[in-house]
Amino acid sequence: MGDMAPTHLFDRLKKLYGNDPVPGDAPLKEALNLMGYWPIHPFEITKVLFLTAILFAGPLYERGIVEGSWRDWIRGRYIGEVIGSWMGWRNFVAGPITEEIVFRSAIVPLHLLAKVASKRVVFITPLYFGIAHIHHFYEYTLTHPHTPLLPALLRSVVQFTYTSIFGFYATFIFLRTGSLPAVILAHSFCNWCGLPRLWGRVEAGVPLGPPSNEERERKDERRSPETSAIAVGDSRLNIGWTVAYYFLLVIGAVIFCRALWPLTDSRHSLAQFEFTYFSYDEHHQLHLDASSLRYYYPPQLGADLCRGYDTFQQLDDTRDDHLDSLLTAVMAHERETGAKSETDFITWRGMITKIMATPYENFNGFEMNATKFQGTIFIEENHAYKLQQRQGQHNQQPRRGAASQDMMSFWGYKFETLSLIPQPWAATPREVIERRDEEIVNNHSQYCSVVKTGIGKAKMIIGGEVDAIWDSKPTNKDAPINWVELKTAEAPSDDRDMLKFERKLLKFWIQSFLLGVPIIVVGFRSKDGILRSLEKLDTQSIPNNVKRKGKGSWDGNLCINFTASFLEWLKSTITSEGVWTIKRRERSPIIEVQKTVDVGHGDILTPEFVAWRQELASTAAV
């Protein structure tokens, strides 16, 4: 059976929960990692350059084949010209390095540390990059004093637009790969290519980038004594060359869009994006679509959350579903992209929530099962332990005058039913909105979002239910999604109640933080379940508000630091296959990790998932 002795993470929680849990020089290493300096990932750099070259397939064809520059590329002649030219040095070396250090390596981490949603970072920070190029308008008016103001201004607007578009791309690949060198080289490559030809015929001898010294000499020889224009009549080509150029331009753009996510997939990513999703229908059957997605519309205040308890269609979750649906969704995504999802952990959000809340959870314990397969640790809840805990809570007698645990659980589902509509507001009939209080409460239907994210050095794929969307889900996969988490709580009446609510906010925040949910709507109720008021909370502001305006009962940064350290420790502990138990007993300051089965993966992984991963590995090897 191997080593059966439990491994203890720390002996005392107080020692464990220091604000700087990372020993030695690790903070510097983490800063360098967040800023994209270290470690250097040659594979990520290669993938990004290949992806960028796909986008410029047409221009590369024009310059390399039509103009015949491919021989010079092989000889490396352009490298010497870049080094020996101030213009080349500025455009291809100094400019990309300094701009990416400032606009990606410095600015992006500041937004991430401020807990700005990653998709907002993609669209906000490049605007700084675009604005930084507006000074070219002033330079142009100095060098072209006779050019009217309007054309000069339009030129600057166009330049601002395409520099911002490149900024979107550069920020995206920086977040996805965590590699500053990859972004710098992509920047240099785009500067070398310039804007692609969008109209006109391709012509031999009309280079895409700055001409070489030899090209300048050839052009000088071809100048007519009577005119200063360059004679290019001999460069007229058959129309087929132009058709081929535009075909490659379009095909390159299509392949680029399809390859954008798989070729930027990296275990070193700095931020989270929705990776994939799935739905459970009203019968709790799995569908790999968004059919159970719901939209938020405010409920009617004064609603009785007890209404409908006798007809509640409650999900029977006594069956152990393991990670089955999550693995099915990951498998489907990998089949679509043809690439393995590189990550350190795959688990449900609830598991990471329990770990993150550990520093301030003094009473409840947890028990999880884990296994390692192809470099990834898979974690699920120990189902028998969960049922045992639930039975213990069910057996507890409620306080005098308080509702039962089952009733309070129902209040949460009733609040969701009162707050959700099946379509965006504009497309939902008025009677559907007004009759939500009459709907039978059913918790079988769920929409689950799967995100690829990270805490510290640990990269994770986590899945979890999201309640609703504030407005509508964007068709653009890169755009931010305004998810809404719905919660209920007793309306605070004194300082003691406020402290109690503040502690509940910890799990509210963790659950939303992990899936990138920006909005939490809390329905405050009376002791007997009457909905009294609503409060909209900004997820990223909660830790700061608790610290500055509340009782300061918990610290979000401490939870993140603890989780980062724990996951790193877990990676160094679970190093082989088999089944491992991760356990924290009630009221205990110790987390134990123990190997209980030497070989295999228990029921944590499905046979279909294991077979798929083995097939994928064999295909990659070939």
Side-chain angles (χ1 to χ4, degrees), residues 118-135:
S118 55
K119 294 177 183 178
R120 296 179 188 271
V121 174
V122 170
F123 290 94
I124 292 175
T125 59
L127 299 181
Y128 309 140
F129 181 66
I131 291 170
H133 288 77
I134 291 181
H135 72 279

PDB file of all heavy atoms in Angstrom, residues 118-135:
ATOM      1  N   SER A 118     -10.212  39.642 -15.852  1.00  0.00           N
ATOM      2  CA  SER A 118      -9.201  39.462 -16.888  1.00  0.00           C
ATOM      3  C   SER A 118      -9.679  39.934 -18.259  1.00  0.00           C
ATOM      4  O   SER A 118      -8.906  40.506 -19.036  1.00  0.00           O
ATOM      5  CB  SER A 118      -8.783  37.994 -16.955  1.00  0.00           C
ATOM      6  OG  SER A 118      -9.912  37.170 -17.132  1.00  0.00           O
ATOM      7  N   LYS A 119     -10.945  39.716 -18.552  1.00  0.00           N
ATOM      8  CA  LYS A 119     -11.449  40.131 -19.855  1.00  0.00           C
ATOM      9  C   LYS A 119     -11.545  41.644 -19.964  1.00  0.00           C
ATOM     10  O   LYS A 119     -11.405  42.215 -21.044  1.00  0.00           O
ATOM     11  CB  LYS A 119     -12.790  39.461 -20.124  1.00  0.00           C
ATOM     12  CG  LYS A 119     -12.633  37.947 -20.277  1.00  0.00           C
ATOM     13  CD  LYS A 119     -13.941  37.245 -20.476  1.00  0.00           C
ATOM     14  CE  LYS A 119     -13.725  35.739 -20.558  1.00  0.00           C
ATOM     15  NZ  LYS A 119     -14.954  34.978 -20.698  1.00  0.00           N
ATOM     16  N   ARG A 120     -11.740  42.305 -18.837  1.00  0.00           N
ATOM     17  CA  ARG A 120     -11.699  43.772 -18.838  1.00  0.00           C
ATOM     18  C   ARG A 120     -10.273  44.251 -19.066  1.00  0.00           C
ATOM     19  O   ARG A 120     -10.037  45.266 -19.734  1.00  0.00           O
ATOM     20  CB  ARG A 120     -12.251  44.328 -17.526  1.00  0.00           C
ATOM     21  CG  ARG A 120     -13.726  44.030 -17.291  1.00  0.00           C
ATOM     22  CD  ARG A 120     -14.198  44.599 -15.955  1.00  0.00           C
ATOM     23  NE  ARG A 120     -15.541  44.160 -15.646  1.00  0.00           N
ATOM     24  CZ  ARG A 120     -16.645  44.810 -16.020  1.00  0.00           C
ATOM     25  NH1 ARG A 120     -16.538  45.918 -16.712  1.00  0.00           N
ATOM     26  NH2 ARG A 120     -17.828  44.341 -15.690  1.00  0.00           N
ATOM     27  N   VAL A 121      -9.323  43.529 -18.493  1.00  0.00           N
ATOM     28  CA  VAL A 121      -7.920  43.896 -18.688  1.00  0.00           C
ATOM     29  C   VAL A 121      -7.561  43.869 -20.164  1.00  0.00           C
ATOM     30  O   VAL A 121      -6.855  44.741 -20.670  1.00  0.00           O
ATOM     31  CB  VAL A 121      -7.002  42.943 -17.893  1.00  0.00           C
ATOM     32  CG1 VAL A 121      -5.537  43.222 -18.196  1.00  0.00           C
ATOM     33  CG2 VAL A 121      -7.246  43.075 -16.403  1.00  0.00           C
ATOM     34  N   VAL A 122      -8.067  42.852 -20.880  1.00  0.00           N
ATOM     35  CA  VAL A 122      -7.769  42.721 -22.304  1.00  0.00           C
ATOM     36  C   VAL A 122      -8.238  43.945 -23.079  1.00  0.00           C
ATOM     37  O   VAL A 122      -7.566  44.401 -24.014  1.00  0.00           O
ATOM     38  CB  VAL A 122      -8.423  41.440 -22.872  1.00  0.00           C
ATOM     39  CG1 VAL A 122      -8.332  41.409 -24.392  1.00  0.00           C
ATOM     40  CG2 VAL A 122      -7.752  40.207 -22.289  1.00  0.00           C
ATOM     41  N   PHE A 123      -9.365  44.512 -22.691  1.00  0.00           N
ATOM     42  CA  PHE A 123      -9.946  45.595 -23.467  1.00  0.00           C
ATOM     43  C   PHE A 123      -9.640  46.992 -22.919  1.00  0.00           C
ATOM     44  O   PHE A 123      -9.808  47.976 -23.636  1.00  0.00           O
ATOM     45  CB  PHE A 123     -11.469  45.403 -23.576  1.00  0.00           C
ATOM     46  CG  PHE A 123     -11.851  44.254 -24.452  1.00  0.00           C
ATOM     47  CD1 PHE A 123     -12.097  43.002 -23.922  1.00  0.00           C
ATOM     48  CD2 PHE A 123     -11.925  44.413 -25.827  1.00  0.00           C
ATOM     49  CE1 PHE A 123     -12.435  41.935 -24.729  1.00  0.00           C
ATOM     50  CE2 PHE A 123     -12.259  43.352 -26.646  1.00  0.00           C
ATOM     51  CZ  PHE A 123     -12.517  42.112 -26.106  1.00  0.00           C
ATOM     52  N   ILE A 124      -9.211  47.093 -21.676  1.00  0.00           N
ATOM     53  CA  ILE A 124      -8.933  48.407 -21.095  1.00  0.00           C
ATOM     54  C   ILE A 124      -7.482  48.815 -21.274  1.00  0.00           C
ATOM     55  O   ILE A 124      -7.175  49.910 -21.762  1.00  0.00           O
ATOM     56  CB  ILE A 124      -9.315  48.428 -19.599  1.00  0.00           C
ATOM     57  CG1 ILE A 124     -10.824  48.322 -19.433  1.00  0.00           C
ATOM     58  CG2 ILE A 124      -8.803  49.706 -18.926  1.00  0.00           C
ATOM     59  CD1 ILE A 124     -11.279  48.208 -17.986  1.00  0.00           C
ATOM     60  N   THR A 125      -6.554  47.946 -20.888  1.00  0.00           N
ATOM     61  CA  THR A 125      -5.142  48.340 -20.884  1.00  0.00           C
ATOM     62  C   THR A 125      -4.591  48.688 -22.269  1.00  0.00           C
ATOM     63  O   THR A 125      -3.710  49.553 -22.366  1.00  0.00           O
ATOM     64  CB  THR A 125      -4.273  47.243 -20.237  1.00  0.00           C
ATOM     65  OG1 THR A 125      -4.429  46.009 -20.954  1.00  0.00           O
ATOM     66  CG2 THR A 125      -4.682  47.017 -18.792  1.00  0.00           C
ATOM     67  N   PRO A 126      -5.050  48.065 -23.378  1.00  0.00           N
ATOM     68  CA  PRO A 126      -4.511  48.475 -24.681  1.00  0.00           C
ATOM     69  C   PRO A 126      -4.847  49.913 -25.058  1.00  0.00           C
ATOM     70  O   PRO A 126      -4.181  50.486 -25.915  1.00  0.00           O
ATOM     71  CB  PRO A 126      -5.179  47.488 -25.653  1.00  0.00           C
ATOM     72  CG  PRO A 126      -5.471  46.300 -24.831  1.00  0.00           C
ATOM     73  CD  PRO A 126      -5.862  46.846 -23.494  1.00  0.00           C
ATOM     74  N   LEU A 127      -5.869  50.483 -24.435  1.00  0.00           N
ATOM     75  CA  LEU A 127      -6.200  51.879 -24.744  1.00  0.00           C
ATOM     76  C   LEU A 127      -5.070  52.808 -24.302  1.00  0.00           C
ATOM     77  O   LEU A 127      -4.810  53.826 -24.935  1.00  0.00           O
ATOM     78  CB  LEU A 127      -7.517  52.269 -24.068  1.00  0.00           C
ATOM     79  CG  LEU A 127      -8.747  51.450 -24.506  1.00  0.00           C
ATOM     80  CD1 LEU A 127      -9.989  51.937 -23.780  1.00  0.00           C
ATOM     81  CD2 LEU A 127      -8.937  51.541 -26.017  1.00  0.00           C
ATOM     82  N   TYR A 128      -4.383  52.446 -23.202  1.00  0.00           N
ATOM     83  CA  TYR A 128      -3.209  53.235 -22.819  1.00  0.00           C
ATOM     84  C   TYR A 128      -2.156  53.172 -23.926  1.00  0.00           C
ATOM     85  O   TYR A 128      -1.483  54.154 -24.235  1.00  0.00           O
ATOM     86  CB  TYR A 128      -2.594  52.698 -21.520  1.00  0.00           C
ATOM     87  CG  TYR A 128      -3.537  52.519 -20.370  1.00  0.00           C
ATOM     88  CD1 TYR A 128      -3.430  51.414 -19.529  1.00  0.00           C
ATOM     89  CD2 TYR A 128      -4.555  53.433 -20.114  1.00  0.00           C
ATOM     90  CE1 TYR A 128      -4.297  51.234 -18.464  1.00  0.00           C
ATOM     91  CE2 TYR A 128      -5.429  53.256 -19.056  1.00  0.00           C
ATOM     92  CZ  TYR A 128      -5.296  52.151 -18.240  1.00  0.00           C
ATOM     93  OH  TYR A 128      -6.155  51.972 -17.195  1.00  0.00           O
ATOM     94  N   PHE A 129      -2.004  51.980 -24.486  1.00  0.00           N
ATOM     95  CA  PHE A 129      -1.035  51.761 -25.550  1.00  0.00           C
ATOM     96  C   PHE A 129      -1.398  52.593 -26.777  1.00  0.00           C
ATOM     97  O   PHE A 129      -0.531  53.208 -27.405  1.00  0.00           O
ATOM     98  CB  PHE A 129      -1.008  50.268 -25.887  1.00  0.00           C
ATOM     99  CG  PHE A 129      -0.034  49.880 -26.964  1.00  0.00           C
ATOM    100  CD1 PHE A 129       1.324  50.005 -26.764  1.00  0.00           C
ATOM    101  CD2 PHE A 129      -0.483  49.362 -28.180  1.00  0.00           C
ATOM    102  CE1 PHE A 129       2.225  49.623 -27.747  1.00  0.00           C
ATOM    103  CE2 PHE A 129       0.401  48.987 -29.163  1.00  0.00           C
ATOM    104  CZ  PHE A 129       1.762  49.113 -28.942  1.00  0.00           C
ATOM    105  N   GLY A 130      -2.690  52.620 -27.114  1.00  0.00           N
ATOM    106  CA  GLY A 130      -3.123  53.414 -28.262  1.00  0.00           C
ATOM    107  C   GLY A 130      -2.940  54.903 -28.028  1.00  0.00           C
ATOM    108  O   GLY A 130      -2.464  55.635 -28.913  1.00  0.00           O
ATOM    109  N   ILE A 131      -3.298  55.357 -26.821  1.00  0.00           N
ATOM    110  CA  ILE A 131      -3.155  56.791 -26.497  1.00  0.00           C
ATOM    111  C   ILE A 131      -1.696  57.211 -26.555  1.00  0.00           C
ATOM    112  O   ILE A 131      -1.364  58.342 -26.960  1.00  0.00           O
ATOM    113  CB  ILE A 131      -3.752  57.074 -25.102  1.00  0.00           C
ATOM    114  CG1 ILE A 131      -5.285  56.905 -25.143  1.00  0.00           C
ATOM    115  CG2 ILE A 131      -3.390  58.469 -24.614  1.00  0.00           C
ATOM    116  CD1 ILE A 131      -5.940  56.936 -23.791  1.00  0.00           C
ATOM    117  N   ALA A 132      -0.794  56.298 -26.168  1.00  0.00           N
ATOM    118  CA  ALA A 132       0.637  56.632 -26.161  1.00  0.00           C
ATOM    119  C   ALA A 132       1.168  56.899 -27.561  1.00  0.00           C
ATOM    120  O   ALA A 132       2.271  57.447 -27.709  1.00  0.00           O
ATOM    121  CB  ALA A 132       1.428  55.503 -25.513  1.00  0.00           C
ATOM    122  N   HIS A 133       0.424  56.532 -28.611  1.00  0.00           N
ATOM    123  CA  HIS A 133       0.874  56.759 -29.985  1.00  0.00           C
ATOM    124  C   HIS A 133       0.245  58.008 -30.607  1.00  0.00           C
ATOM    125  O   HIS A 133       0.517  58.310 -31.771  1.00  0.00           O
ATOM    126  CB  HIS A 133       0.552  55.541 -30.851  1.00  0.00           C
ATOM    127  CG  HIS A 133       1.421  54.355 -30.564  1.00  0.00           C
ATOM    128  ND1 HIS A 133       1.243  53.555 -29.462  1.00  0.00           N
ATOM    129  CD2 HIS A 133       2.499  53.844 -31.234  1.00  0.00           C
ATOM    130  CE1 HIS A 133       2.151  52.593 -29.464  1.00  0.00           C
ATOM    131  NE2 HIS A 133       2.920  52.746 -30.510  1.00  0.00           N
ATOM    132  N   ILE A 134      -0.566  58.727 -29.832  1.00  0.00           N
ATOM    133  CA  ILE A 134      -1.216  59.924 -30.384  1.00  0.00           C
ATOM    134  C   ILE A 134      -0.200  61.028 -30.665  1.00  0.00           C
ATOM    135  O   ILE A 134      -0.423  61.889 -31.510  1.00  0.00           O
ATOM    136  CB  ILE A 134      -2.333  60.408 -29.420  1.00  0.00           C
ATOM    137  CG1 ILE A 134      -3.478  59.389 -29.434  1.00  0.00           C
ATOM    138  CG2 ILE A 134      -2.848  61.780 -29.802  1.00  0.00           C
ATOM    139  CD1 ILE A 134      -4.638  59.752 -28.548  1.00  0.00           C
ATOM    140  N   HIS A 135       0.949  60.966 -29.964  1.00  0.00           N
ATOM    141  CA  HIS A 135       1.959  62.006 -30.193  1.00  0.00           C
ATOM    142  C   HIS A 135       2.444  62.020 -31.640  1.00  0.00           C
ATOM    143  O   HIS A 135       3.019  63.020 -32.113  1.00  0.00           O
ATOM    144  CB  HIS A 135       3.157  61.799 -29.257  1.00  0.00           C
ATOM    145  CG  HIS A 135       4.001  60.624 -29.613  1.00  0.00           C
ATOM    146  ND1 HIS A 135       3.676  59.339 -29.253  1.00  0.00           N
ATOM    147  CD2 HIS A 135       5.158  60.534 -30.328  1.00  0.00           C
ATOM    148  CE1 HIS A 135       4.588  58.510 -29.710  1.00  0.00           C
ATOM    149  NE2 HIS A 135       5.511  59.206 -30.358  1.00  0.00           N
TER     150      HIS A 135
END
